Amino acid sequence: MAGLLADPSFVAEGQEGLFYGGGKQLGYQIMALLAYATWALGTSAIMFGSLNYFGLFRVDKDVEIMGLDNHHHGGYA
């Protein structure tokens, strides 16, 4: 929101929002968003990929057929 609506009377020079003729702040926010998304996707790929590689990502086929509730809790949901 600040990247769009930052009023020039409240922010440093050159940090105005896009609606006030600036856009630098919005660019910083988009770069931060891309950095966070890259970090989250990369970390998730490493985590889930290693779980899948070691066979810990899914339950056994017999447990899946029987049902997880019955296997873990001893009854049906």
Side-chain angles (χ1 to χ4, degrees):
M1 287 301 276
L4 295 174
L5 302 172
D7 190 345
S9 61
F10 296 111
V11 295
E13 186 176 333
Q15 298 298 321
E16 299 87 8
L18 188 63
F19 294 151
Y20 290 98
K24 193 174 183 181
Q25 182 69 24
L26 182 63
Y28 290 147
Q29 290 175 345
I30 291 172
M31 285 190 329
L33 175 76
L34 292 175
Y36 293 144
T38 302
W39 175 262
L41 290 172
T43 304
S44 297
I46 291 169
M47 241 178 19
F48 292 131
S50 62
L51 285 172
N52 193 30
Y53 178 76
F54 290 114
L56 301 172
F57 194 64
R58 295 190 60 133
V59 296
D60 293 332
K61 193 161 192 84
D62 296 335
V63 173
E64 189 172 356
I65 291 171
M66 180 178 25
L68 287 174
D69 289 328
N70 193 18
H71 180 264
H72 287 298
H73 306 293
Y76 294 101

